[in-house]
């Protein structure tokens, strides 16, 4: 029984020590990553095509207060995916798939896939995160134009 207690105590200490070494990124690091994502979005082969009507509504170039002595950066954009003569759920499936592909391949996000909304005709959400920088992205895939409403932000961080 002592061996089990000693092993459990040792494992707990290792877990605590591993957690202590991890630190959150600085606002400067996270903001730089979000600014790169904005540039990657603008120069991506898909979104530089004018038919997608990419519009950057808010650039991540201003610190936004979000807690005592902490700040975040935010990027907001829209783009459109023209619907051809097809059922709405096909259009949403294609738009969602294309955006998920770009977020993973071009921007490097890890997505939190939610299959419960795969049949939703009222719109769908895509959630992603970049582990190193803590940048989170949410994309609403809408049944009407603009098809994609992109919102990415850093965590609330110290300068």
């Amino acid at each position: 029984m002592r061996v089990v207690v000693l092993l459990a105590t040792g494992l707990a200490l290792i877990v605590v020590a591993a957690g202590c070494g991890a630190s959150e990124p600085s606002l400067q690091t996270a903001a730089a990553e979000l600014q790169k994502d904005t540039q990657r979005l603008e120069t991506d082969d898909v979104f530089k095509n004018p038919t997608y009507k990419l519009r950057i509504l808010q650039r991540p170039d201003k610190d936004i207060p979000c807690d005592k002595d902490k700040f975040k950066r935010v990027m907001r954009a829209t783009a459109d995916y023209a619907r051809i003569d097809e059922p709405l759920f096909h259009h949403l499936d294609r738009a969602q798939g294309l955006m998920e592909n770009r977020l993973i391949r071009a921007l490097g996000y890890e997505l939190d896939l939610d299959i419960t909304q795969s049949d939703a005709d009222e719109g769908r959400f895509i959630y992603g995160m970049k582990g190193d920088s803590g940048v989170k992205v949410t994309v609403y895939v809408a049944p009407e134009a603009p098809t994609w409403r992109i919102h990415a932000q850093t965590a609330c961080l110290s300068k």
Side-chain angles (χ1 to χ4, degrees), residues 51-53 79-86 91-92 94-95 98 143 145-148:
T51 61
Y52 287 93
K53 302 174 189 165
D80 198 31
Y81 190 55
R83 183 175 172 193
I84 55 177
D85 188 21
E86 63 186 343
H91 172 70
L92 290 173
R94 290 186 322 116
L98 178 60
T147 308
W148 297 296

Side-chain angles (χ1 to χ4, degrees), residues 53-90:
K53 302 174 189 165
L54 175 68
R55 289 186 48 216
I56 305 297
L57 304 174
Q58 181 176 357
R59 293 193 172 274
D61 53 7
K62 294 181 183 160
D63 295 340
I64 300 169
C66 54
D67 202 0
K68 184 175 181 171
D69 298 325
K70 291 190 175 189
F71 301 87
K72 66 180 176 180
R73 297 278 182 102
V74 175
M75 186 272 295
R76 292 183 316 113
T78 61
D80 198 31
Y81 190 55
R83 183 175 172 193
I84 55 177
D85 188 21
E86 63 186 343
L88 181 58
F89 72 93
H90 283 294

Side-chain angles (χ1 to χ4, degrees), residues 15 21 35 96-97 100 141 147:
V15 169
Q35 287 172 338
Q96 180 180 357
E100 287 172 345
V141 183
T147 308

Side-chain angles (χ1 to χ4, degrees), residues 40 43-49 102:
R40 288 179 190 126
T43 59
D44 183 72
D45 288 342
V46 171
F47 294 108
K48 69 181 179 183
N49 181 334
R102 300 325 304 151

Side-chain angles (χ1 to χ4, degrees), residues 5 9 14 17 27 35 39 51 56 71 75 81 85 87 95 106 109-110 120 125 127 134 136 142 152 159:
V5 172
T9 304
I14 290 170
L27 178 63
Q35 287 172 338
Q39 292 169 347
T51 61
I56 305 297
F71 301 87
M75 186 272 295
Y81 190 55
D85 188 21
Y109 283 89
E110 292 180 27
F125 286 94
Y127 301 101
K136 291 183 180 180
K159 282 190 173 186

